[in-house]
Every structure is written in C-alpha cells, then in structure tokens.
Amino acid sequence: MVRLLLITAEEVREVEVGQELTVGRAYSNLLRLDGDEISRVHAIVYRRGPEYVIRDLDSKNGVSVNGRRISTAPLKPGDDIRIGGYHLLFDPPPDFNLSEYRKSRGIVTPPVFETGGEESGLRTYIGASEALAAPASRPASTPDDDRPKVFFSIGEVEDLALRATGDDSQFSGDLLKLHQALMRTPAAEETAGEAQVAGHFLRAVVHALGADRGVVVFQEAKDQLRLGAITPAEVDVAVNRVVLRGCLREGHAVLCNDVQNDRRFQRTETVKKERIGSLAAFPLERRGQPAGLIYCDAMGRTGAFRPQHLALLCFTSRLLMLSLAAAVARA
C-alpha cells in the first residue's frame, strides 16, 4: 500500500493513500490539517492508472512538490510535498532517515514534555499496530513540575465521578442539568441517525458544562477522522493536536483552564486563533478501542471547567456510544 508521511516538529504520521486521499482543514477530509494557511479542501492525491497524482483544489496558498508550485503533478517515491507549513513525503524509501530529513528542512523538534523523551523512528499517529507510549511521569528535576495537571487517565476520571456523586452538591446540580437536557428528546430522534444522536448528546453536555462550543469527532480506520456533530451549528470548531493526541493516541481525558498561557498548547495555531481560554475532552470507545472524542471549550474564559466536569463528559461519552449501538441494532 502506498503511504504518505506527514512530518512536523512534534510528530510523524503515516497515512495510507488508497485510491484517493483528500487533504484539508475540514473534518470531511481523509487527512485533516490544521492552520490558517490550509484551505477547507486543499488538495487531493489519487491513483491514475499505474501512477499517483496530486492536484491543488484551488487552494489559497497552493501546493508544492520538490520545491516547485504545481496545479497537478505525477508523484514518484520520495517526492517532497509542501502544503502550508506541513511536509509530506510520498512513498518514502526503505532507507529513509527521519533525522536527516528534519535537519535538511529546518524542522526543529521541540522538547517532549509529556512522553518523557524524544520520539525516535517512524510512528503511526492513530491506530498503530504497536503500543503507543502513554505519558510518563516527569522526573523530579523537571522545571515544569508545578504546572496544572492536564491529562487524566480514564481510571482517575471514574474515581472522581464516584467521589463527586456522593458529596459534591455542585456536581449533583450539573448532573441534573445534563439529565434534564438529555430527557428533552423529540420523538423524531428516537429513530434518528448517528448525526442526530451525537448532536443531541453534545448539546446536552455543552449546556451542563456551561461551555461555548462543542464537537464530536469519530475516528475511522487509522488516521481518518470524521465530524459527528458540532454546536453551535454555524461555527467551525477545530480540535487542536494536543487534545487529539491525548484522547486518541493515549486514551486520556484532557482538561486545561488556562490554555493561552499553558506551554503545552502554545504551538497549536487553533488555540491562538480562536482565543480558547478553557477546554475539556474525553475519548469515545467502541469495544475497548478508540472511536473518537467529545470536546468542549470556552472562548476567552479561564477557569471555566472543573475536574468534575470530566465525569460528566465520561457519562455522556458512554451513553452516546450505547445509544449509537442501539440505533445500529434497530436499523
């Protein structure tokens, strides 16, 4: 199978091309890239007879292959594609040297705070066959020990939920708001499809958390992400790569109440562009495997969420997946 390597300072992602691969900022693309310089549907790589071709889909900032801007061009193994600030290597050779590639193109790898060490070799971003490393504990000498906790294991969230349901009156009030919102289900939604079900649960949890926006993203095979629901409907909510990595690669819930000033998020353009002050996210699972995430944020507001809100997201994610399974069984 022909593959593309997406190479940035933070990660290496392997993507299978298949018959065609659309690239852009929208969730409908098979390869979704973030950033102002990326058009909603930016480019397409597709098979034409025995060869593969890349075509610029009238993007604002264009596509280059081996340093030359193109509208349409055939691809050969080892071709270097540039889309916005992203480097993509088409069908890399067996002796491909990642370190030399990054060095020759000035791609500086930042210190890795959450994994406890530098990434080595090629590693699939989502759906890897090998085990992907979860965040390790930081050494006692690390200068960032006083940073607020951002990543939470599922076990930690479940323990938090058990404690909160017993003696946290504020949590009980939030839980009641979630329950009331979920019970306001129009009769038509009893036989609704995936988008309607996901939208109903998303609106309920956004209301209960007092969030400004929310999105449900489903993960397909490997690197493919698909929009499940979004609220408000007229906005374009993008989930930044730190949250995607935390939920989909490491299976952790994510909560940050001062996003603009947290160094872990300062390399993500979405956070700056959309003035996100607080965010919370929880992974979706299907039969024990990553199936997506549910995400909420607050614009320009710090301290919008409490750790107990992760418990609400946990409840919502489990109920959502059960409801989707029931909808499939009825169909």
Side-chain angles (χ1 to χ4, degrees), residues 2-17:
V2 173
R3 60 186 179 141
L4 274 176
L5 285 186
L6 171 64
I7 302 170
T8 69
E10 294 86 4
E11 66 182 5
V12 177
R13 192 190 315 179
E14 183 179 287
V15 185
E16 291 183 358
V17 178

Side-chain angles (χ1 to χ4, degrees), residues 209 243 254-256 278-282 294-297 305-306 309-310 313:
L209 268 63
V243 174
V254 184
L255 178 101
C256 183
S278 306
L279 61 80
F282 196 88
I294 185 166
Y295 166 92
C296 298
D297 63 25
F305 305 126
R306 297 178 294 117
H309 283 148
L310 290 178
L313 285 171

Side-chain angles (χ1 to χ4, degrees), residues 227-241:
L227 179 64
I230 194 166
T231 189
E234 67 274 11
V235 302
D236 184 12
V237 182
V239 182
N240 69 77
R241 66 176 68 96

Side-chain angles (χ1 to χ4, degrees), residues 49-110:
E51 66 179 0
Y52 279 87
V53 174
I54 185 168
R55 179 155 58 95
D56 182 2
L57 299 177
D58 297 321
S59 66
K60 180 180 178 181
N61 293 299
V63 177
S64 66
V65 177
N66 299 326
R68 181 174 61 89
R69 184 157 178 168
I70 58 93
S71 56
T72 302
L75 292 171
K76 62 182 184 297
D79 275 349
D80 190 18
I81 303 166
R82 190 75 183 270
I83 296 179
Y86 294 87
H87 294 265
L88 298 103
L89 192 67
F90 178 75
D91 202 18
D95 60 348
F96 171 64
N97 188 307
L98 175 61
S99 297
E100 287 298 322
Y101 180 91
R102 278 177 163 156
K103 183 178 179 181
S104 67
R105 287 155 181 81
I107 305 174
V108 179
T109 305

